[in-house]
Amino acid sequence: MRKSILLALTAGLLVSTANAAPVFNRIASFAVAQNHSEAEETSSEIIAATDDGMMVVYSDSPGGGIGYVDITDPAAPKPAGYTVLDGEPTSVTVIGDKVYAAINTSEGYTNPSGQLLVIDLASKEIESAIDLGGQPDSIARNVAGTLLAIAIENERDEDAGDGGLPQMPSGYVVLVSLADGAPTADSVTRVDLDGLAEIAGDDAEVEYVTINGLDEVAVTLQENNEIVVINGTTGEVINHFSAGTVDLEGIDTQDNGEIAFTDSQPGRLREPDAIKWIDDNRFAVANEGDWNGGSRSFSIFNKDGTLEFDSGNALDVDAARLGHYPDKRSDAKGVEPEGLEAATYGDDTLIFVSEERASLVAVYKDNGPGAAPEHLQTLPSGIAPEGSVAIPSRNLFVTANEADLRSEGGVGSHVMIYERAEGDAVFPQIISDLDADGHPIGWAALSGAVAHAEVPGKLYAVSDSFLGAAPAIYTIDATATPARITAKTIITRDGATAQKLDLEGITLDGEGGFWLASEGRTDRLTPHALFHVDADGEIQQEVAFPEALLASELRFGSEGITMVGDTLWVAIQREWKDDPKGQVKLVGYNTADKSWSAVRYPLDEKPEGAWVGLSEITAHGDHVYLIERDNQLGGKAVVKKIYRVPVADLTGAEIGGDLPVVSKEEVRDLLPDLQAYNGYVLDKVESLAIDADGTGYVITDNDGVDDSSGETHLFSIGTLD
C-alpha cells in the first residue's frame, strides 16, 4: 500500500474523541477467579453470549474449564458456575441452551487429538463428546444455529528445529451439522486444506473460522499467510488466496526504551489470526503474525480475494498517543492485533479490533464496500484481550482478557463489559498530539508532575526508567477533554540525551526551568540525585545525595520533589535501613547554602502482604500534599490517599541523627475515584499537581504497558484550599 494512503489512514484514525453519536463506556469488570477460586491460574480467552444476551461463557485454558458469568445486570456481573473439563478448552460458542466447547486432548505435537463437547447450559454438565481427530483452535456457529465450523490447527512445536514449517500433521476444518442442537458422528465433515497455500502448502496451520449468512466459512491459515472460503453445506473450497503483505512506514521497530515512529518494514506478511464476516461478501482479519510476519494492522477483504482496506500503522499510532504502545514489543509485532468482532448496532455496523500487547480495543464503523472504515473510539481493556463478543440487542460489548498475573503480584484475568449510549467517552483521560514531523508524541509511565505557576491547567510531567533512553518532560493541557500532551522535552547532558535517569519527581525552579528527582539504584549504577535543568531540558546542575543519607540506602528512593522557599523537599518512597518501621524520610536540600536535612513521615498501616509508601509531594499554600499508597491493585487495594503536612512541620534535622516526625491530615481517599472507571483499581497513583487556581490533578503511572493494562487515569480532584 502506498505511503500516501497509509498516512491518510493514520490521519483518519486520529479523530476527536468528542462524539455526537453513541459511544461505548466500560460499566463493569469481572475477575474470573471468582468462578474458579481454587485454581492457581485461571483465564478468560474466547467468549460467547447466550441468545438472550443475559450470560457470557468463556474458555479457560490454564484452568481447564468453561466459565459462566451472569450479566442480567451488566453493571453488576455475577459468577454463574464453572465446568471442569478433561482437556484444554480452546474455544467456545453457545446455541440455545447448549454450550459447544472445542478441547485439546493432545499428548504431544506429533499426535494431536481433540473433542467437541456439548454442555447443558442449565446444569453445566457435559452431555456428549465427538472426536475431532486433531487439536482444535477456534469454533464458530452459523446464524440459524444449525452448523458449527471448527479449526483443527494441529499446531507446530516452536522448539522443534527452527520452529518453522512444515511440521506434520497438517490442519483442516471440521463442519458439524446440528439437529435440535445435537450433533452426531455422521454429521461431521472434514475439509482438508493441503496444497492451497504457497507457503508450506502441505502443512495447513488452520487458526480461525467464521460463518456468514450464506453458511460460507472463512478460514485463516496463519503461518501459511492464506485465507480460504468454504461452502459450509457441501465442504467445497470456494476460493483461497494469499493474505499478502504490507509496506509499513512510520513505526517503531526497536526495543530500546524510546518510542520513535521513524522505522519501516517493507513487504511484511500479514499472517492473520482472527477473522470475522462483516456481511455476506466481506470479512475483516486481525494481522497478528506468528512465524515470519505480523503487519500490526487489520484488513478488510472481499471473499473474491480483493483487498479493500488495510489500517497500516494506524493501530500503533493510536496506541502511542494513548500511552498504550508496548515499546518492549517494538522489535516484534507492535500492538499485535489478535481478536476481532463485528456486529450491527442500530444502523451502524461496527468492527472491534483487540490489540493483545496494547490492551486496547479499536472500534471502527464500516462504511460499506470500497470505502475505508471510520475509527470511532478506542476502549481500554484488561491485560491481553483475546476474545470479545458483541451483544447489540442490549447495546453491550464484552471482552475476555487472558493474562493472569496473580502469581507475580499482579492482577488476574478479567471479563470487561461496555455499554453503548449517548454521552461522552470516559476513555481516554489523556492523549498526545502529533509532533512537527507528523509522528505521535510517544509517552508512557508518567511518574511525577507539577503545575505551571501562572497558567491554570498547564502541567508538566516526567516519565520513569521505562523510557530511559529518552527521559523527558511532557507539557500537558489539562483543560482539554481529554487532557493533551502538547510537547515533549528530552533531558540532555552536554547536548546529548541524558542516560542513567529514573525520573520520579519534578518541580519548578522559579526561573523557567525545573528540578528533577531521580530514583537511584546503586547496583545498576543509577545515582540517587537531583537534577537542575533549564527550559530546554539541558542539565545545568547535578546534586548527589549525601553520604550520610546513602549509608542507609535501599532500593525505593525519590518519589517526588517540591520547593518551599529555597529548600527542595524530596519524598523517599519506603523505609531505608535507619528508619523506624512505618516511617519514611522527607529529605530537604537547601539550594542556597547546599545543606541537607530531613524529617520523618508516619505511614498508614500496611495491608497484609503489601507495603505502603509515598509517591508524590507538592507544595501549596501552607502545606505540602503527599500521595500515600500501597502496592496493591484490584480488590486488594486499600491505601490510595492524599495527605497534607503543615509547612511549619518541615524543620529538618541533621541526617543520621534523631529526626522530628511530622503530623499529617487526610485530604482525600482516592479509591472511589479509581473505582469509578469500572476497571480494576490501578496500583500506581504517582502524580499530584496543584495549579495556579488551586485545582488538584492526579495521574497514575501505567508501567509502560509492561504487565499492566496500560491505562493512565488523569483526573481533577477540585480545589485544594
Side-chain angles (χ1 to χ4, degrees), residues 210-218 229-232 238 277 280 303:
T210 181
I211 308 176
N212 67 8
L214 303 176
D215 285 353
E216 294 171 334
V217 181
V229 182
I230 300 167
N231 184 315
I238 300 171
W277 289 98
D280 286 342
K303 64 185 179 184

Side-chain angles (χ1 to χ4, degrees), residues 572-583:
I572 304 299
Q573 185 171 53
R574 293 177 61 186
E575 301 100 322
W576 280 15
K577 294 175 185 178
D578 61 340
D579 291 318
K581 183 179 180 181
Q583 294 183 8

Side-chain angles (χ1 to χ4, degrees), residues 533-666:
V533 303
D534 63 20
D536 296 324
E538 176 70 16
I539 294 174
Q540 304 296 309
Q541 181 184 3
E542 179 177 347
V543 180
F545 276 15
E547 287 300 322
L549 183 60
L550 292 176
S552 300
E553 172 196 1
L554 289 175
R555 171 183 168 191
F556 297 92
S558 303
E559 280 287 329
I561 186 172
T562 195
M563 180 168 273
V564 179
D566 289 332
T567 301
L568 293 167
W569 285 97
V570 180
I572 304 299
Q573 185 171 53
R574 293 177 61 186
E575 301 100 322
W576 280 15
K577 294 175 185 178
D578 61 340
D579 291 318
K581 183 179 180 181
Q583 294 183 8
V584 295
K585 295 186 190 73
L586 304 180
V587 177
Y589 173 70
N590 189 301
T591 58
D593 64 18
K594 317 301 183 187
S595 64
W596 290 85
S597 63
V599 297
R600 286 199 169 98
Y601 174 95
L603 296 169
D604 281 5
E605 183 177 351
K606 63 183 180 181
E608 184 178 356
W611 56 257
V612 170
L614 298 179
S615 284
E616 178 67 290
I617 182 170
T618 187
H620 176 66
D622 295 331
H623 295 85
V624 291
Y625 291 75
L626 301 104
I627 291 178
E628 187 174 340
R629 68 169 180 88
D630 58 28
N631 64 332
Q632 301 298 291
L633 35 66
K636 293 184 177 181
V638 176
V639 181
K640 313 288 183 189
K641 294 182 178 182
I642 297 174
Y643 284 95
R644 69 180 185 179
V645 171
V647 168
D649 282 10
L650 298 180
T651 303
E654 182 179 354
I655 296 172
D658 291 333
L659 301 179
V661 179
V662 300
S663 61
K664 70 177 187 179
E665 175 189 1
E666 183 175 328

Side-chain angles (χ1 to χ4, degrees), residues 247-304:
D247 292 330
L248 284 171
E249 298 182 27
I251 60 172
D252 187 348
T253 64
Q254 301 178 61
D255 170 14
N256 61 354
E258 177 183 10
I259 299 175
F261 278 57
T262 56
D263 302 323
S264 62
Q265 286 181 334
R268 188 73 169 174
L269 296 171
R270 287 189 171 88
E271 290 190 348
D273 186 335
I275 185 168
K276 186 72 177 181
W277 289 98
I278 301 170
D279 53 34
D280 286 342
N281 294 303
R282 297 174 303 135
F283 45 74
V285 292
N287 302 317
E288 177 202 26
D290 194 316
W291 181 25
N292 288 320
S295 63
R296 308 179 182 219
S297 65
F298 82 99
S299 308
I300 297 175
F301 285 93
N302 188 287
K303 64 185 179 184
D304 67 6

Side-chain angles (χ1 to χ4, degrees), residues 19 86 173 261 397 529 704:
N19 292 283
D86 186 17
V173 169
F261 278 57
F397 173 71

Side-chain angles (χ1 to χ4, degrees), residues 24 47 141 143 208-212 274-280 282-285 298-300 339-345 348-354 361-366 373 387-393 396-398:
F24 286 95
I47 193 163
R141 56 163 287 183
V143 175
Y208 219 91
V209 290
T210 181
I211 308 176
N212 67 8
I275 185 168
K276 186 72 177 181
W277 289 98
I278 301 170
D279 53 34
D280 286 342
R282 297 174 303 135
F283 45 74
V285 292
F298 82 99
S299 308
I300 297 175
L340 271 176
E341 174 65 308
T344 300
Y345 292 76
D348 298 331
T349 297
L350 305 182
I351 304 167
F352 304 86
V353 185
S354 297
V361 178
V363 185
Y364 283 76
K365 177 185 175 183
D366 175 48
S388 64
V389 61
I391 310 176
S393 62
L396 299 177
F397 173 71
V398 183

Side-chain angles (χ1 to χ4, degrees), residues 430-481:
I430 180 171
I431 189 170
S432 71
D433 290 342
L434 301 180
D435 64 20
D437 296 320
H439 301 305
I441 298 175
W443 64 278
L446 300 182
S447 54
V450 68
H452 191 281
E454 298 176 354
V455 181
K458 185 174 183 178
L459 313 180
Y460 302 98
V462 290
S463 53
D464 65 23
S465 59
F466 184 83
L467 296 180
I473 298 171
Y474 302 88
T475 303
I476 302 172
D477 178 6
T479 66
T481 303

Side-chain angles (χ1 to χ4, degrees), residues 373-442:
E374 173 190 358
H375 176 255
L376 299 180
Q377 66 178 125
T378 300
L379 304 176
S381 199
I383 304 176
E386 181 165 350
S388 64
V389 61
I391 310 176
S393 62
R394 303 188 65 199
N395 280 321
L396 299 177
F397 173 71
V398 183
T399 64
N401 304 278
E402 66 177 332
D404 182 354
L405 304 176
R406 292 175 298 158
S407 64
E408 304 169 23
V411 73
S413 171
H414 279 73
V415 167
M416 294 194 170
I417 304 171
Y418 309 80
E419 184 175 41
R420 187 177 191 245
E422 292 185 357
D424 296 325
V426 173
F427 179 87
Q429 290 98 55
I430 180 171
I431 189 170
S432 71
D433 290 342
L434 301 180
D435 64 20
D437 296 320
H439 301 305
I441 298 175

